[in-house]
Amino acid sequence: MSGGRRVNFQFCGFGGQGLVLSATVLGTAAVRAGLNGVQTQSYGSEARGGECQAELSIAEGALRSPSPDQVDVLIAMSQAAYDRYAKRLRPGGVLLVDPQFVATPSRSDVQVVAVPVTQVATEQFGMPIVANMVLLGFLRQATGIVPEDALNHAIRDSVPEKFVETNLRAAACGKALAVERNRVVEV
């Protein structure tokens, strides 16, 4: 990040996908890297399986508003969430979707990136629950928004100890996926 720029993320999907944790981990990594971050979240009335979303803003300078009108990066992990929040993604922004849950939109005013994070998590770990960490590894590698060591420290600080190594390996799988696809995403 340069010039004091602010990058606004929105993670949305259904409860149980670890999207709030993803926003928390990325925000923690940003702060660890010397940036400022603010994160908010909301859940539907059902919690697991119901709608959830988290917003994260990262900046070099002060953050005066926790909830922007538009986001730069929208991560959609369910069709219902995409349908609800797509209008918040600014033209020229980045839309990252899991094609297992979201039909790849044909929005021509944004960069659409379909990443099969749930498929990778299931095939590599037998656990779709780590798709959120595959997503973070991919997002970190593709954007360079935070240093890799900051993300790894944030994962260690944010997940129960018995799951740390699995989550770190899942993030490494996401990184490898971004490298393999030669994905670079400007945010």
Side-chain angles (χ1 to χ4, degrees):
M1 294 184 63
S2 61
R5 185 157 182 265
R6 174 179 176 152
V7 180
N8 301 304
F9 296 85
Q10 184 168 24
F11 296 77
C12 59
F14 49 84
Q17 289 180 305
L19 294 167
V20 172
L21 177 61
S22 296
T24 301
V25 168
L26 187 57
T28 300
V31 170
R32 180 175 275 283
L35 301 169
N36 293 312
V38 63
Q39 188 256 330
T40 62
Q41 62 201 33
S42 66
Y43 299 90
S45 60
E46 301 90 14
R48 183 171 294 276
E51 185 179 297
C52 78
Q53 69 88 32
E55 296 176 31
L56 171 66
S57 294
I58 297 173
E60 288 178 337
L63 291 163
R64 300 193 194 314
S65 170
S67 186
D69 293 332
Q70 291 189 309
V71 296
D72 303 298
V73 181
L74 177 67
I75 296 103
M77 296 286 288
S78 78
Q79 190 65 49
Y82 169 76
D83 293 343
R84 179 170 183 179
Y85 295 109
K87 62 186 171 287
R88 292 201 62 220
L89 181 60
R90 70 166 174 79
V94 176
L95 173 60
L96 197 148
V97 298
D98 185 334
Q100 182 169 328
F101 298 110
V102 181
T104 303
S106 59
R107 239 182 109 171
S108 61
D109 65 334
V110 298
Q111 182 180 357
V112 179
V113 182
V115 186
V117 294
T118 303
Q119 178 184 342
V120 168
T122 303
E123 289 174 359
Q124 296 293 316
F125 299 93
M127 297 184 283
I129 192 85
V130 296
N132 63 332
M133 293 298 154
V134 175
L135 169 76
L136 282 179
F138 182 92
L139 185 62
R140 198 234 53 89
Q141 180 65 31
T143 65
I145 192 79
V146 295
E148 185 174 6
D149 65 327
L151 180 66
N152 289 339
H153 281 288
I155 291 170
R156 282 187 183 92
D157 292 345
S158 302
V159 302
E161 188 174 331
K162 66 182 180 177
F163 300 118
V164 167
E165 288 309 312
T166 301
N167 281 274
L168 289 171
R169 287 191 350 255
C173 276
K175 172 187 174 182
L177 188 61
V179 169
E180 172 188 304
R181 294 179 174 202
N182 197 26
R183 287 309 305 215
V184 176
V185 177
E186 293 291 324
V187 294

